[in-house]
mmCIF file of all heavy atoms in Angstrom:
data_model
loop_
_atom_site.group_PDB
_atom_site.id
_atom_site.type_symbol
_atom_site.label_atom_id
_atom_site.label_comp_id
_atom_site.label_asym_id
_atom_site.label_seq_id
_atom_site.Cartn_x
_atom_site.Cartn_y
_atom_site.Cartn_z
ATOM 1 N N ALA Y 2 85.989 70.936 107.384
ATOM 2 C CA ALA Y 2 84.571 71.189 107.576
ATOM 3 C C ALA Y 2 83.833 70.991 106.263
ATOM 4 O O ALA Y 2 84.396 71.102 105.177
ATOM 5 C CB ALA Y 2 84.365 72.610 108.081
ATOM 6 N N GLU Y 22 86.968 74.594 78.460
ATOM 7 C CA GLU Y 22 86.568 75.675 77.561
ATOM 8 C C GLU Y 22 87.777 76.262 76.835
ATOM 9 O O GLU Y 22 87.671 76.685 75.687
ATOM 10 C CB GLU Y 22 85.823 76.755 78.342
ATOM 11 C CG GLU Y 22 84.460 76.280 78.818
ATOM 12 C CD GLU Y 22 83.743 77.302 79.674
ATOM 13 O OE1 GLU Y 22 84.381 78.297 80.083
ATOM 14 O OE2 GLU Y 22 82.548 77.113 79.953
ATOM 15 N N HIS Y 26 86.341 72.526 73.972
ATOM 16 C CA HIS Y 26 85.548 71.299 73.996
ATOM 17 C C HIS Y 26 84.197 71.542 74.663
ATOM 18 O O HIS Y 26 84.114 72.249 75.665
ATOM 19 C CB HIS Y 26 86.257 70.198 74.799
ATOM 20 C CG HIS Y 26 87.486 69.653 74.148
ATOM 21 N ND1 HIS Y 26 87.471 69.010 72.944
ATOM 22 C CD2 HIS Y 26 88.782 69.668 74.547
ATOM 23 C CE1 HIS Y 26 88.699 68.645 72.624
ATOM 24 N NE2 HIS Y 26 89.513 69.051 73.575
ATOM 25 N N ARG Y 33 83.401 62.118 75.107
ATOM 26 C CA ARG Y 33 83.875 61.206 74.067
ATOM 27 C C ARG Y 33 85.389 61.010 74.153
ATOM 28 O O ARG Y 33 85.890 59.899 74.004
ATOM 29 C CB ARG Y 33 83.519 61.764 72.686
ATOM 30 C CG ARG Y 33 82.125 61.389 72.234
ATOM 31 C CD ARG Y 33 81.963 61.577 70.731
ATOM 32 N NE ARG Y 33 80.745 62.305 70.437
ATOM 33 C CZ ARG Y 33 80.700 63.568 70.075
ATOM 34 N NH1 ARG Y 33 81.784 64.285 69.966
ATOM 35 N NH2 ARG Y 33 79.556 64.145 69.823
ATOM 36 N N GLY Y 175 78.174 84.594 53.865
ATOM 37 C CA GLY Y 175 79.044 85.307 54.799
ATOM 38 C C GLY Y 175 79.048 84.654 56.162
ATOM 39 O O GLY Y 175 78.084 83.974 56.526
ATOM 40 N N PRO Y 196 71.233 104.440 79.934
ATOM 41 C CA PRO Y 196 70.947 105.683 79.174
ATOM 42 C C PRO Y 196 69.743 106.399 79.772
ATOM 43 O O PRO Y 196 68.796 105.765 80.258
ATOM 44 C CB PRO Y 196 70.669 105.183 77.755
ATOM 45 C CG PRO Y 196 70.325 103.732 77.916
ATOM 46 C CD PRO Y 196 71.056 103.241 79.138
#
Side-chain angles (χ1 to χ4, degrees):
E22 291 176 349
H26 290 298
R33 274 198 228 105

